[in-house]
């Protein structure tokens, strides 16, 4: 019945957190694998796409290449301050 390798149709998980903290991996067949960073506010932002499931080294390289805009930095700092006040 299954003579070929099984191809998952949906995948959503945390990326390797030791090299890409706060990131996740997503794939919906037949599209590419997506490595996305979850900012403190807002939806995840794609930082890299791959035709095959990325390795830990690929995730690390993509994470190291992230450049946050001034607006993203300000938003994250604001959310951290607000959360600090609520504690």
């Amino acid at each position: 019945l299954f003579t070929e390798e099984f191809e998952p149709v949906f995948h959503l998980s945390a990326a390797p957190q030791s090299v890409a903290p706060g990131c996740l991996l997503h794939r919906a067949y037949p599209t590419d694998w997506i490595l996305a960073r979850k900012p403190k506010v807002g939806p995840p932002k794609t930082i890299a796409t791959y035709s095959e499931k990325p390795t830990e080294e690929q995730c690390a390289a993509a994470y190291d290449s992230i450049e946050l805009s001034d607006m993203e930095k300000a938003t994250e700092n604001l959310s951290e301050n607000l959360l600090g006040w609520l504690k």
Side-chain angles (χ1 to χ4, degrees), residues 40-41 77-87:
K40 299 215 183 305
V41 176
N77 287 338
L78 176 62
S79 67
E80 287 175 5
N81 287 338
L82 289 173
L83 289 174
W85 292 342
L86 297 174
K87 289 184 178 182

Side-chain angles (χ1 to χ4, degrees), residues 24-77:
L24 47 95
L25 281 172
H26 173 264
R27 181 176 186 232
Y29 182 84
T31 61
D32 287 339
W33 288 86
I34 297 171
L35 177 65
R37 177 181 170 272
K38 176 63 179 107
K40 299 215 183 305
V41 176
K45 296 191 178 199
T46 299
I47 57 175
T49 59
Y50 306 92
S51 59
E52 299 288 324
K53 186 174 183 180
T55 64
E56 191 168 307
E57 292 79 22
Q58 289 172 309
C59 290
Y63 183 80
D64 291 342
S65 72
I66 295 173
E67 292 185 21
L68 297 179
S69 70
D70 290 340
M71 179 63 88
E72 288 173 309
K73 290 176 189 174
T75 302
E76 292 203 0
N77 287 338

